[in-house]
Amino acid sequence: MGVEVDGVGNLDDIVRYRTRPPHHFAQVKYTVDSTSPINESYLLTPSTKNAKPLLAKIVAAWRRLIETDEPFEMSLITNRAPDPDDPLLALRDSRTQLLMPRAGEKGPSSTIGRARRRWAQAAGVDEITLLRVFEDLRFDLARDPAHVLELTQYLMAATGLRHDDAAVNAGVSWVGQQVRDGHRELTAEIVREAISKLDLLAGPARAILSIATLKPDPLREEADYALDWADRFQGDTAYSKRRPAPPAGWDQLQRDIEAAPGQLPRGTPSVAITGSIRLAPAFLVGTAFRMVTGADLAVLQRGQLWSTNDRYGTPLRPMEDDIRLDQGPDLAVGVAIAADLTADVVEFLRMQEIPAERLLILRPPGGTADNSIPDAATANALAIGIRDAIRRASRTASRIHLFMAAPMGLALMLGHRWNRIRPTTVYEDISISPVYEAAFEVDA
């Protein structure tokens, strides 16, 4: 990592050097008062009488980088938000953070065309060159401290470091001290020594698997492999996205998830799961990396790192409720950890005429509650207890129909341990009638 690096112009604040290019060059602009947005005025107005506009400085740095003939990435990073009324910045793609391709689509007499001309004049280049800059320049905006803290904690957890507030603060203080002491390059060896000195090491470094079905994952670019399905799910918000939008379907999502282990670096059994997924996909991720393969999965759950390898005492045997249905040879199972799903599942099974002989409702020993699982050890112990209860109950069943109301981390752990069990249909809560929908078929 480079900090305030010489020779790269205004994109010198943070430089990420990779073993193989592209390296990443960033200009960071932080303000205590972030109410003023990023817009044309901010980018094109010089800060003092004899200064150049910020955009002109960035373009000059871009010219230096293209002369190296090496691929590169560059960003403007700030806690300011984009101005929604700015003709060009309103075109920013929230995923790529680029203004292209939309910034180049309208003609010269359009509002966008006139804005392009003003930006090019302020930067001292023609519009063709400006558009080339737009193809490279990411506007990484609205980076508030809470958001940066969350991303940092995720990355620290994934790389096997402590990720509590004290650990983050220790890391921040160390980096600040390096800058004050004039250290401009922080090599891997220097960072490793600091990790040891600050006692930050907590566990194995993990490959990162990003799976997003509800909203884009801010850690996508840090991931070893990423599945981005956020645009392929129905709904306008993360809360409303509950099932794939045609022509996408559950079967394609299952194929993509089950192919993920082969996309990660070889020899990395420890995997951190990031992104946003509901319970059925989380369960399927667990089955794709089953315990019998030697995989160790981890996910952040309410600020805690839940790992499938975390130690626990003895398996927790869940409380069981048995409801007779007499509709066929199968077994329906409701995992009622965070909420009681009994009434909805019974109604669904009867309305859809699912061929189940009975419905087995499993609850934590202390009863259903949204805070019934305090930590990873409890989650692992309960996942094993649930699996064992289902094994016992399904010995004569043809198939299992699985419904869950539980923390995402528990669904992941349950799938991870899903073996020596009957073939299973996993259902997702789609919120609207008939409440549930068959998502995945799992052989166990």
Side-chain angles (χ1 to χ4, degrees):
M1 299 295 296
V3 182
E4 296 182 358
V5 176
D6 293 331
V8 295
N10 258 58
L11 297 170
D12 64 342
D13 287 344
I14 299 175
V15 180
R16 181 189 301 177
Y17 296 105
R18 296 187 172 102
T19 304
R20 289 176 296 187
H23 306 308
H24 188 110
F25 300 83
Q27 169 75 59
V28 180
K29 292 291 186 181
Y30 177 80
T31 177
V32 175
D33 179 11
S34 60
T35 56
S36 299
I38 289 286
N39 54 23
E40 182 174 299
S41 175
Y42 179 84
L43 293 168
L44 307 190
T45 303
S47 57
T48 61
K49 182 178 180 181
N50 297 321
K52 291 183 178 181
L54 176 58
L55 180 64
K57 296 176 182 179
I58 291 175
V59 171
W62 174 84
R63 287 186 181 278
R64 289 190 185 187
L65 291 174
I66 61 174
E67 290 175 357
T68 66
D69 290 327
E70 283 191 338
F72 62 88
E73 298 170 350
M74 62 187 213
S75 299
L76 171 62
I77 302 173
T78 179
N79 60 329
R80 295 177 186 267
D83 188 340
D85 297 322
D86 187 276
L88 289 179
L89 284 167
L91 305 176
R92 171 179 170 269
D93 187 311
S94 61
R95 292 176 180 278
T96 66
Q97 302 177 333
L98 298 172
L99 301 188
M100 294 294 281
R102 296 178 64 193
E105 290 178 347
K106 299 294 183 178
S109 60
S110 66
T111 301
I112 293 173
R114 294 194 299 273
R116 276 199 311 264
R117 186 164 56 253
R118 292 192 298 271
W119 285 44
Q121 289 172 350
V125 296
D126 56 43
E127 289 188 40
I128 293 177
T129 301
L130 179 70
L131 294 180
R132 289 182 62 196
V133 174
F134 285 171
E135 289 175 346
D136 294 324
L137 177 60
R138 301 183 186 185
F139 288 85
D140 190 350
L141 310 180
R143 277 274 198 141
D144 64 274
H147 175 70
V148 174
L149 173 62
E150 181 182 9
L151 293 183
T152 302
Q153 287 179 314
Y154 267 104
L155 284 172
M156 291 178 75
T159 51
L161 304 182
R162 287 171 38 218
H163 58 280
D164 54 88
D165 289 347
V168 173
N169 290 336
V172 169
S173 296
W174 179 82
V175 172
Q177 190 61 52
Q178 304 313 300
V179 175
R180 289 189 292 273
D181 290 345
H183 298 153
R184 294 294 179 256
E185 281 198 8
L186 307 179
T187 65
E189 186 58 35
I190 291 173
V191 173
R192 289 191 190 99
E193 290 178 1
I195 288 170
S196 177
K197 183 178 179 179
L198 297 173
D199 193 25
L200 296 179
L201 193 62
R206 299 175 180 274
I208 299 178
L209 172 61
S210 166
I211 304 179
T213 63
L214 310 181
K215 58 183 178 181
D217 182 7
L219 289 180
R220 183 182 188 281
E221 292 195 1
E222 311 295 339
D224 294 279
Y225 184 63
L227 288 176
D228 189 349
W229 270 65
D231 282 346
R232 299 167 75 179
F233 262 56
Q234 292 180 3
D236 297 326
T237 66
Y239 181 79
S240 64
K241 290 177 182 287
R242 292 179 177 267
R243 61 180 174 186
W250 292 113
D251 56 344
Q252 180 60 58
L253 179 57
Q254 179 163 0
R255 289 193 294 272
D256 285 357
I257 289 176
E258 290 179 341
Q263 303 299 322
L264 295 177
R266 292 183 179 181
T268 51
S270 298
V271 180
I273 309 299
T274 69
S276 53
I277 51 177
R278 296 200 182 276
L279 298 183
F283 179 89
L284 187 68
V285 172
T287 67
F289 293 87
R290 291 187 217 207
M291 191 173 187
V292 295
T293 68
D296 168 30
L297 301 179
V299 65
L300 274 184
Q301 185 76 46
R302 294 183 178 178
Q304 297 181 19
L305 187 69
W306 284 15
S307 166
T308 55
N309 271 7
D310 282 341
R311 294 182 178 181
Y312 61 93
T314 57
L316 287 178
R317 185 160 184 165
M319 297 191 298
E320 302 180 15
D321 294 330
D322 209 330
I323 301 171
R324 299 294 301 184
L325 298 170
D326 296 321
Q327 296 179 181
D330 298 352
L331 172 69
V333 177
V335 180
I337 307 301
D340 188 356
L341 42 57
T342 306
D344 285 342
V345 173
V346 169
E347 182 179 1
F348 174 83
L349 293 171
R350 295 203 182 280
M351 286 181 60
Q352 301 300 313
E353 298 180 347
I354 302 299
E357 180 184 20
R358 59 194 178 107
L359 168 63
L360 178 66
I361 297 293
L362 301 175
R363 308 177 190 276
T368 298
D370 60 5
N371 62 351
S372 60
I373 305 181
D375 51 37
T378 305
N380 275 301
L382 185 56
I384 294 171
I386 290 171
R387 180 204 60 193
D388 291 347
I390 296 172
R391 277 180 180 170
R392 291 191 297 269
S394 63
R395 285 174 183 149
T396 61
S398 299
R399 171 170 290 275
I400 295 170
H401 300 268
L402 180 63
F403 304 81
M404 293 175 286
M408 187 270 281
L410 180 69
L412 182 81
M413 291 178 170
L414 187 58
H416 180 67
R417 290 178 165 86
W418 203 253
N419 57 71
R420 292 179 53 234
I421 293 180
R422 306 301 298 166
T424 303
T425 302
V426 187
Y427 293 81
E428 184 59 82
D429 180 347
I430 59 172
S431 185
I432 60 174
S433 182
V435 182
Y436 293 100
E437 182 171 274
F440 308 118
E441 302 291 338
V442 176
D443 291 327

